[in-house]
Amino acid sequence: MRGKKNGQKKVAVITGGGSGIGLAMARIFAASGYSVVITSRDAKRLQKAAANIPADKKKVAGIPCDVRDPVSVAKLFREVGKHHSTIDVLINNAGVAHSLAPVDQLSIETWKEVIDTNLTGTFLITRAALPLMRAGGTIVNNLSVAALQPFAGMSAYNASKFGALGFTRALREDLRKRGIRVLALLPGATDTEIWSQFWPDAPKEKMISAETVAQAVLHAVSAPANTTIEEIRIGPAAGVL
Ligand SMILES: NC(=O)c1ccc[n+]([C@@H]2O[C@H](COP(=O)([O-])OP(=O)(O)OC[C@H]3O[C@@H](n4cnc5c(N)ncnc54)[C@H](OP(=O)(O)O)[C@@H]3O)[C@@H](O)[C@H]2O)c1
């Protein structure tokens, strides 16, 4: 593990960690020796997920938080700060999609929910985590190929992810001098529950697994401190969409 101090475990905070790609990352980081904090809105599912991750001395904690709500986000990091002096890895992964809808049929409620979660949530979590982050730390923002490629009927999702990529790139410049690396994760179709939000019959057998994405993230985060690594593009070899 990179730059480990006095036998202390490194700490990873993962939003949206109760399911899908977030849960797969929580498992793989815990397995490689990190203390892991996972967070999402559904407290029951979160506790169950945390309890089921094998880790020595139960080094996985589930703390509920709604990333759209600055009060909830502040409470999360107060709680994290009681147990950990430093966050080594922050993974902004919480996200929602929406039913396919052309712009003239997209409701303002859906637009706001998607932008508030995927874009503003990433900002709020990052801003609140930064006081606990030090040189050598890494922030991973889970975006999507939809941060680069437009899809018909997905304007809110596309806008949130294009915006989050802009935020990620600006954040990288902000943090360069502090020695905190910022990684954009750009997965293609991955077999998780998110597809039920807009394409329930999507061909899951053509997708990659959440574990494959998680392995790539752990590998990138573990690269030596003098390595430049800014983007992870990973997806099915053959297209799904
Ligand atoms: N699956 C894919 O093909 C794919 C491809 C590219 C990128 N991604 C991105 O990967 C990330 C994870 O998605 P997934 O595919 O693993 O789907 P998922 O299983 O539905 O995970 C989404 C997670 O985000 C949490 N979440 C949603 N809104 C939240 C909020 N307001 N506050 C806190 N947590 C919230 C959800 O938990 P609660 O509902 O309990 O809050 C859930 O744990 C998303 O950002 C998604 O855009 C997915």
Side-chain angles (χ1 to χ4, degrees):
M1 208 182 289
R2 233 166 33 110
K4 213 171 158 195
K5 311 149 245 172
N6 309 326
Q8 242 182 337
K9 278 179 183 291
K10 286 203 162 196
V11 176
V13 175
I14 304 172
T15 69
S19 64
I21 298 170
L23 179 55
M25 293 191 285
R27 285 186 186 284
I28 202 164
F29 275 81
S32 75
Y34 279 77
S35 265
V36 177
V37 178
I38 54 174
T39 182
S40 64
R41 292 165 302 176
D42 184 338
K44 224 168 157 185
R45 181 166 70 163
L46 191 64
Q47 299 312 338
K48 203 170 156 195
N52 284 331
I53 297 174
D56 56 320
K57 293 189 200 142
K58 277 278 129 237
K59 282 290 185 189
V60 181
I63 306 175
C65 171
D66 186 333
V67 299
R68 297 168 297 179
D69 175 7
V71 176
S72 178
V73 170
K75 203 170 150 211
L76 166 69
F77 285 98
R78 267 201 307 279
E79 202 55 41
V80 171
K82 282 184 198 164
H83 303 282
H84 305 289
S85 57
T86 302
I87 296 169
D88 299 284
V89 179
L90 171 69
I91 305 183
N92 282 302
N93 166 79
V96 288
H98 57 90
S99 311
L100 291 177
V103 169
D104 55 356
Q105 285 164 36
L106 188 69
S107 72
I108 181 69
E109 289 78 17
T110 298
W111 173 268
K112 281 191 171 161
E113 191 203 353
V114 175
I115 299 290
D116 286 355
T117 308
N118 299 357
L119 179 55
T120 309
T122 299
F123 158 68
L124 288 174
I125 288 282
T126 303
R127 189 178 63 163
L130 277 172
L132 289 171
M133 297 198 71
R134 313 274 175 264
T138 305
I139 297 174
V140 180
N141 290 344
N142 190 1
L143 309 171
S144 166
V145 286
L148 299 167
Q149 184 185 343
F151 296 99
M154 294 296 289
S155 59
Y157 190 71
N158 269 137
S160 71
K161 296 295 187 176
F162 270 67
L165 178 58
F167 172 74
T168 301
R169 289 177 175 169
L171 178 69
R172 183 177 300 128
E173 299 313 313
D174 268 9
L175 298 181
R176 208 178 279 286
K177 282 199 177 126
R178 280 176 63 177
I180 298 172
R181 286 197 301 207
V182 179
L183 261 162
L185 172 61
L186 301 152
T190 307
D191 181 3
T192 72
E193 286 168 31
I194 206 167
W195 288 89
S196 62
Q197 295 171 29
F198 63 102
W199 189 8
D201 301 326
K204 297 280 189 77
E205 69 285 354
K206 291 187 181 171
M207 298 182 185
I208 57 169
S209 71
E211 288 69 29
T212 301
V213 177
Q215 277 163 0
V217 172
L218 179 65
H219 188 69
V221 166
S222 310
N226 65 353
T227 312
T228 299
I229 177 162
E230 299 188 343
E231 286 186 1
I232 304 171
R233 294 195 198 189
I234 182 167
V240 171
L241 305 175

